[in-house]
Amino acid sequence: MKPNNSMDNPGRIHFIGVGEPVMQDLAILLHQAGCVVTGSDQEIQESAKAKLEAHGLATAPGWFPEKILPDLQGVLIGPGVTTDNPELLRAQELNLLIWSYPGYIYEFSQHKHRVVVAGSYGKTMITLLIIHVLKFHNRSFDYVVSKQVPGLTHPVKLSNAPLIVIEGQDFMVSALDRTPAFLKYQHHIGVISGIEWEESKTYPSKEEYVRQFNLFEKATPKGGVIVYFDLEPVIAALSKVKQPDILYIPYKSHPGISVGGEEFLLDSVKDKRYPLKITGKHNLQNISAAQETLKKLGITSDMFYEAIPSFAGKKF
């Protein structure tokens, strides 16, 4: 059984690791849509607990295998859930459907046009810029970002919209699926903002980390798009021979200028400038990535420049 590709009747789901980022917000979203939601976590931070309780989803800390019942549509497991988790073991014993949250998002959005923003840095800001411009122009779309941010009531929105914009994280989706989250969504438009390796248990070598972005490129379907920062090491991560049936769009920093302590975005084509509420060279790169991506979603340059001055996002 798969998650319904509609919010009309989402079923009955248990969250293992409900206190983890995005998990709590997805639980609240499904609860608000009429889903019967239960959840557990070993430790729940006060902020997460308060948020869940405010929506009628109070849960005591600990694991409760008795909550895992045969009539569940399935269970969602957080990235931090281990293979010996008693609730997970019970779900496996009952042969229930088990999703990671990226896996659930993908199943829900299979029939949507999917934009996935990946990279070591800048991906939250790029995702928020895209969301802001689409909202400014009243486009119908869903989204997933990695954290609660100013300006968004929830970091997850799921509906019957035809488009979804996803911040693609590089963590492994679950203890049962060692796939980086950004590869799970099967993008139509993929963005690579930058690549900067840091040694970790997940990625002990630079080569293995960089390889994931090459796989991201290769996962682009025929007619799909890769928007990428035109700088090493992103260029090095891409295939030496470009796939002929996908569109590659490089981007650099957007032209900008500082005048009297104020920041402006420059439109060199029309020789105009637009005030900015965000600053710094990295944000000029992020703006350029968002603009190139939005062009493929039908947002013209004029529409983009109209929306950007009201974007007040902070540094992410």
Side-chain angles (χ1 to χ4, degrees), residues 147-163:
K147 65 190 79 172
Q148 186 73 55
V149 294
L152 292 180
T153 306
H154 299 291
V156 182
K157 177 179 178 290
L158 297 178
S159 70
N160 297 326
L163 168 69

Side-chain angles (χ1 to χ4, degrees), residues 91-257:
Q92 291 173 314
E93 179 184 334
L94 293 173
N95 201 30
L96 293 175
L97 187 58
I98 300 170
W99 299 290
S100 62
Y101 92 69
Y104 186 90
I105 296 296
Y106 168 70
E107 293 286 357
F108 185 90
S109 61
Q110 279 190 75
H111 303 296
K112 301 177 186 291
H113 195 63
R114 296 181 297 280
V115 177
V116 179
V117 183
S120 305
Y121 51 84
K123 55 185 175 292
T124 304
M125 182 63 83
I126 294 168
T127 305
L128 293 176
L129 282 161
I130 294 170
I131 288 171
H132 173 80
V133 175
L134 290 173
K135 287 179 69 175
F136 185 93
H137 291 291
N138 298 311
R139 293 296 178 89
S140 177
F141 69 102
D142 292 338
Y143 58 80
V144 179
V145 294
S146 63
K147 65 190 79 172
Q148 186 73 55
V149 294
L152 292 180
T153 306
H154 299 291
V156 182
K157 177 179 178 290
L158 297 178
S159 70
N160 297 326
L163 168 69
I164 186 166
V165 181
I166 303 170
E167 179 187 355
Q169 300 287 72
D170 57 11
F171 60 74
M172 300 302 180
V173 298
S174 78
L176 302 180
D177 185 352
R178 308 306 291 168
T179 303
F182 63 77
L183 288 176
K184 200 70 179 177
Y185 302 114
Q186 299 188 33
H187 62 277
H188 298 99
I189 300 176
V191 183
I192 305 177
S193 63
I195 300 175
E196 189 173 290
W197 172 72
E198 291 185 6
E199 186 173 1
S200 65
K201 291 182 180 179
T202 304
Y203 299 107
S205 73
K206 180 179 180 180
E207 291 73 21
E208 180 61 16
Y209 184 62
V210 171
R211 188 175 74 89
Q212 306 310 315
F213 294 96
N214 184 252
L215 293 173
F216 185 69
E217 172 204 359
K218 291 179 177 177
T220 308
K222 290 183 178 181
V225 178
I226 283 288
V227 179
Y228 66 95
F229 189 28
D230 192 14
L231 192 72
E232 298 286 354
V234 177
I235 297 171
L238 300 176
S239 301
K240 292 181 180 179
V241 178
K242 299 292 189 291
Q243 299 181 57
D245 48 10
I246 70 174
L247 178 63
Y248 291 83
I249 302 176
Y251 71 88
K252 296 182 182 292
S253 293
H254 196 291
I257 189 172

Side-chain angles (χ1 to χ4, degrees), residues 62-78:
W63 304 119
F64 306 93
E66 62 272 17
K67 290 184 178 181
I68 311 301
L69 301 173
D71 63 344
L72 286 170
Q73 182 190 8
V75 299
L76 265 84
I77 62 174

